[in-house]
Amino acid sequence: MDTGLGYFGNEQKRYHTWNHELRNHFGEKVFKVSIDGGFDCPNRDGTVAKGGCTFCSVSGSGDMILAPTEPLVDQFEREVARMHKKWPEVTKYLVYFQNFTNTHAPVEVIRERFEQVLTLPGVVGISIGTRPDCLPPEVVEYLKELNDRFYLWVELGLQTTYEETSDTINRAHDYQTYLDGVASLRAHNIRVCTHLINGLPGETTQMMIENLKRTIQDSDIQGIKLHLMHLMTNTKMVRDYVSGNLTLMEKDDYVTVICDQLEMIPKEIVIHRLTGDAPRETLIGPMWSLKKWEVLNAIDDELARRQTCQGSNNCRKDEPIC
């Protein structure tokens, strides 16, 4: 629980970590197990656009999954076996449908794929990565059913609140669609985690701060993922980089922005991620992001130096909470 001193749980972090949230809810450590559900995206298959987001790799953000082409149950078991090498004592699992848009299919297809893994031993919840323009009423109704049966998160890719940036990266939906998507989920008390990317082409530090502020103030979300813009080989965003329209962030600048953003986020909102993973062999940069724990430690050190914490400049309230 929150200690009241700006620290969370036994980790003594200055922000509300995902690990803390799961331990607090289930009373023990829980694995989040990523799998590829075999879905596509509406801005790849021509439903709303073609080519996909310009930052997206061919695996649709699931580059770190061990065996994405195997049957779902096999994927799950392989990922769990890998995690057990480090944490053999863990017996509870949250299945994460990560790649592409996991509600972009008829609800019968979605149900068939989700239910395959929800009945596996130890599975206590599900997290579903999707887009806000792929939440028709029949899908939301099924998500409501899941929310009644399991611990459920729906992770919505927003990435930016600026329409110009959204057009540049080929998101193919606007900000209002995101707001409507969140509202449709929250009407059924479904937990929502929003994804934002720091370092997108043309966005200044102030725009990154504004993205966070708008998201927190405009939508009723329970979690947030803050990503670093990774530039990957064989993505359309390489053209922005070559033309000079994309500048990769330096580590110190990224840490500063993240700490500024954390200070604005109300302490009840769960911080699912503060950086990201990318395979070394396909990463163009920033190469410093490969040392994930150094980045996270730098964030901890900067918050300690400032003597601040998540919510110290809560953008939903006037009073500080640290």
Side-chain angles (χ1 to χ4, degrees):
M1 62 175 58
D2 177 13
T3 64
L5 300 172
Y7 300 106
F8 293 86
N10 294 329
E11 297 174 297
Q12 289 292 287
K13 290 284 190 178
R14 291 174 178 260
Y15 56 92
H16 189 159
T17 68
W18 174 238
N19 185 53
H20 166 72
E21 177 67 15
L22 291 178
R23 285 185 179 275
N24 197 45
H25 186 88
F26 292 104
E28 59 187 278
K29 186 173 181 64
V30 177
F31 282 159
K32 188 175 185 181
V33 183
S34 297
I35 63 174
D36 183 342
F39 296 93
D40 205 337
C41 276
N43 65 340
R44 288 169 50 95
D45 65 10
T47 303
V48 296
K50 291 186 177 180
C53 296
T54 61
F55 58 78
C56 196
S57 68
V58 293
S59 66
S61 82
D63 301 274
M64 306 301 284
I65 293 175
L66 281 177
T69 61
E70 292 188 2
L72 300 184
V73 173
D74 293 348
Q75 286 187 51
F76 175 85
E77 291 176 348
R78 287 189 63 166
E79 293 287 339
V80 168
R82 175 173 64 172
M83 294 174 174
H84 276 164
K85 291 178 181 178
K86 187 173 183 180
W87 296 285
E89 73 284 358
V90 176
T91 59
K92 291 182 179 179
Y93 315 105
L94 185 82
V95 183
Y96 179 25
F97 281 80
Q98 181 176 8
N99 302 51
F100 298 116
T101 305
N102 293 280
T103 58
H104 181 48
V107 69
E108 296 81 9
V109 174
I110 296 169
R111 179 187 294 271
E112 187 274 332
R113 295 182 189 177
F114 288 1
E115 298 294 335
Q116 286 185 50
V117 291
L118 287 173
T119 57
L120 293 176
V123 172
V124 294
I126 179 172
S127 190
I128 301 163
T130 191
R131 288 165 52 100
D133 57 348
C134 292
L135 295 170
E138 66 274 16
V139 169
V140 173
E141 187 63 29
Y142 174 53
L143 296 177
K144 175 184 179 296
E145 175 192 325
L146 284 179
N147 195 47
D148 292 337
R149 295 163 52 202
F150 293 94
Y151 179 78
L152 169 68
W153 282 87
V154 174
E155 302 195 21
L156 290 183
L158 172 60
Q159 320 311 354
T160 180
T161 65
Y162 288 91
E163 305 297 357
E164 181 178 353
T165 307
S166 185
D167 291 343
T168 296
I169 64 176
N170 196 38
R171 283 301 292 172
H173 70 75
D174 61 11
Y175 186 46
Q176 186 59 51
T177 299
Y178 160 77
L179 296 176
D180 293 343
V182 174
S184 70
L185 295 169
R186 292 303 297 147
H188 301 291
N189 295 315
I190 296 170
R191 301 173 188 86
V192 177
C193 172
T194 297
H195 293 210
L196 292 174
I197 297 178
N198 289 324
L200 289 170
E203 293 206 345
T204 64
T205 298
Q206 187 53 47
M207 292 171 74
M208 298 175 210
I209 298 297
E210 188 63 22
N211 278 328
L212 185 282
K213 184 176 181 180
R214 290 175 181 174
T215 303
I216 296 298
Q217 292 184 336
D218 295 349
S219 55
D220 176 22
I221 62 172
Q222 292 65 54
I224 194 161
K225 275 188 177 179
L226 298 173
H227 294 265
L228 168 67
M229 178 60 237
H230 288 112
L231 182 62
M232 310 283 285
T233 58
N234 299 319
T235 61
K236 292 185 177 181
M237 193 166 283
V238 172
R239 294 180 301 186
D240 293 299
Y241 183 61
V242 172
S243 67
N245 293 326
L246 171 66
T247 301
L248 300 179
M249 295 188 73
E250 298 292 339
K251 177 181 173 182
D252 288 348
D253 294 333
Y254 184 75
V255 168
T256 297
V257 168
I258 286 290
C259 291
D260 291 344
Q261 291 172 323
L262 283 172
E263 290 173 357
M264 298 170 62
I265 300 172
K267 66 178 182 178
E268 65 271 15
I269 291 180
V270 183
I271 309 301
H272 288 235
R273 173 167 281 185
L274 291 179
T275 180
D277 299 304
R280 180 183 293 272
E281 60 271 18
T282 58
L283 179 66
I284 296 174
M287 299 309 291
W288 54 261
S289 67
L290 292 170
K291 298 180 179 180
K292 181 178 178 180
W293 286 107
E294 288 187 9
V295 179
L296 294 175
N297 288 339
I299 293 168
D300 291 341
D301 291 344
E302 176 61 13
L303 289 173
R305 186 193 68 79
R306 298 183 185 193
Q307 287 297 296
T308 58
C309 67
Q310 178 179 337
S312 58
N313 294 320
N314 187 343
C315 66
R316 284 181 180 168
K317 300 177 181 179
D318 294 329
E319 71 275 10
I321 63 169
C322 271

